[in-house]
Amino acid sequence: MRLKDQHVLITGGASGIGLSTAERCLQEGAHVVVTDLSSSAGAHVSASLAKAHGGRCHFIPADVTSTDEVDRMISETVKTLGSLDGVFNNAGIGGIAPADTYPDAEFLRVIDINLMGVFRVARAALHQMYQQGSGSLVNCASILGVMGQSGTAAYSAAKGGVVNLTRTLAIEAAGKGVRVNAIGPGYIDTPLLSLLDDATRHALIQLHPLGRLGRPEEVANAALFLMSDEASFVTGTTLMVDGGFTAGKS
Ligand code: NDP
């Protein structure tokens, strides 16, 4: 088992990529805290995962836009699990609007969740991991962290921020026994894409050289790798899980 008795926290773990990562970590022997908005399906999802995996899954609600809630979430996680070996910093939202009419409030909301939220969780997690002298933090970026796309001004700004934040955190953490990496998913078939019409979905598929959307478990496997000791010499990188999307055009 690749994460046997490791203690893992997953934000946005009630749905999509986060949920899949929780399942994969549990299958590989980890003890997992799933965290998500209190209004989400988190409590229900965690209870059924706990039932299937010998009680090794717990739910702690937290909104990543609140520093108080994030700090409490990390301390409750450490109280529940005993330590913090891996964090998948995954909670995020979409957001589409042309830049010339993008309203401040909507732009700031995307930044507050997708960039500041990642930073709030990273700050509190690193504080704990530095005390332990060990840990692996994995931030969820996107293909839109390394390239632009029309209509995604706020989202791509936030995800670009996550990619470079990851590099800086990795350098700060390197002497403290802690690794920090990111994942850059292509378009993945999760509830985040549920609003797409068929034509848009088809157009997105064409942009992936592998000819399909990704599956949540394919991103989960990358997060699992980066959290595990198999990635012991990997830090500061963004691992693209994108079916070749960012590799180039044919
Ligand atoms: P989902 O919408 O399925 O899951 C995201 C989860 O984050 C939801 O459970 C959501 O809760 C939660 N969440 C939203 N806002 C907050 C908040 N303020 N505090 C805590 N939790 C919150 O999306 P995905 O699984 O697709 O996305 C996961 C990550 O992957 C995101 O960071 C996304 O940007 C990234 N990503 C996704 C891609 C895709 O194509 N799906 C592509 C590239 C990156 P609720 O449902 O209650 O809102």
Side-chain angles (χ1 to χ4, degrees), residues 11-18 35-37 39-41 62-65 90-93 109 113-114 140-143 155 159 184-193:
T11 73
S15 173
I17 291 168
T35 176
D36 212 306
L37 295 170
S39 56
S40 76
D63 183 337
V64 299
T65 65
N90 160 78
I93 59 169
R109 174 144 180 82
I113 295 174
N114 289 8
C140 195
S142 166
I143 48 174
Y155 188 87
K159 294 298 187 178
Y187 284 90
I188 309 297
D189 208 354
T190 72
L192 199 72
L193 300 194

Side-chain angles (χ1 to χ4, degrees), residues 110-184:
V110 173
I111 297 290
D112 198 19
I113 295 174
N114 289 8
L115 179 57
M116 270 307 293
V118 165
F119 176 66
R120 290 183 187 98
V121 173
R123 178 174 55 196
L126 289 174
H127 189 74
Q128 170 63 25
M129 289 174 173
Y130 288 174
Q131 288 176 33
Q132 300 167 182
S134 64
S136 172
L137 173 66
V138 179
N139 298 323
C140 195
S142 166
I143 48 174
L144 298 179
V146 298
M147 61 184 287
Q149 191 170 60
S150 183
T152 69
Y155 188 87
S156 57
K159 294 298 187 178
V162 170
V163 169
N164 222 23
L165 174 67
T166 297
R167 295 189 180 107
T168 293
L169 297 182
I171 291 163
E172 283 191 16
K176 301 184 167 91
V178 176
R179 294 182 298 104
V180 184
N181 291 288
I183 290 181

